[in-house]
Amino acid sequence: MGYKDINGKSKIMASTQFESLDARRAFPCWDEPARKATFGLTLVVDTGLTALSNMPEKSRRSLEGGATRPRLEMG
């Protein structure tokens, strides 16, 4: 998916909106307040890209070649 920023420069964006059934297909989870689990997710993100979550990053590590490895806590 693409868009243009405020300066008219083309950017790339990927996003998802999981419904509870679809989320369970991707990883074990329950979308019930009494059954919520906390888990971590580690990504490798190319230079110039940003990984976002509904929770703050727990840590971020720089990798060779300019990529970063953010650790996200979910739940």
Side-chain angles (χ1 to χ4, degrees):
M1 175 184 278
Y3 69 99
K4 293 192 186 276
D5 69 11
I6 195 167
N7 299 313
K9 186 175 178 183
S10 292
K11 300 282 187 167
I12 297 172
M13 175 179 60
S15 64
T16 183
Q17 175 63 42
F18 279 141
E19 294 295 330
S20 57
L21 184 61
D22 297 321
R24 287 184 207 120
R25 289 183 185 133
F27 48 85
C29 63
W30 295 95
D31 192 18
E32 306 288 335
R35 295 186 164 254
K36 285 210 173 207
T38 301
F39 62 94
L41 178 67
T42 302
L43 306 170
V44 175
V45 181
D46 289 335
T47 301
L49 299 179
T50 303
L52 299 174
S53 171
N54 63 344
M55 300 296 286
E57 281 185 9
K58 184 170 183 173
S59 64
R60 174 179 288 263
R61 197 172 115 207
S62 295
L63 302 175
E64 290 182 28
T68 58
R69 181 178 286 163
R71 172 82 177 160
L72 307 171
E73 293 295 319
M74 315 292 258

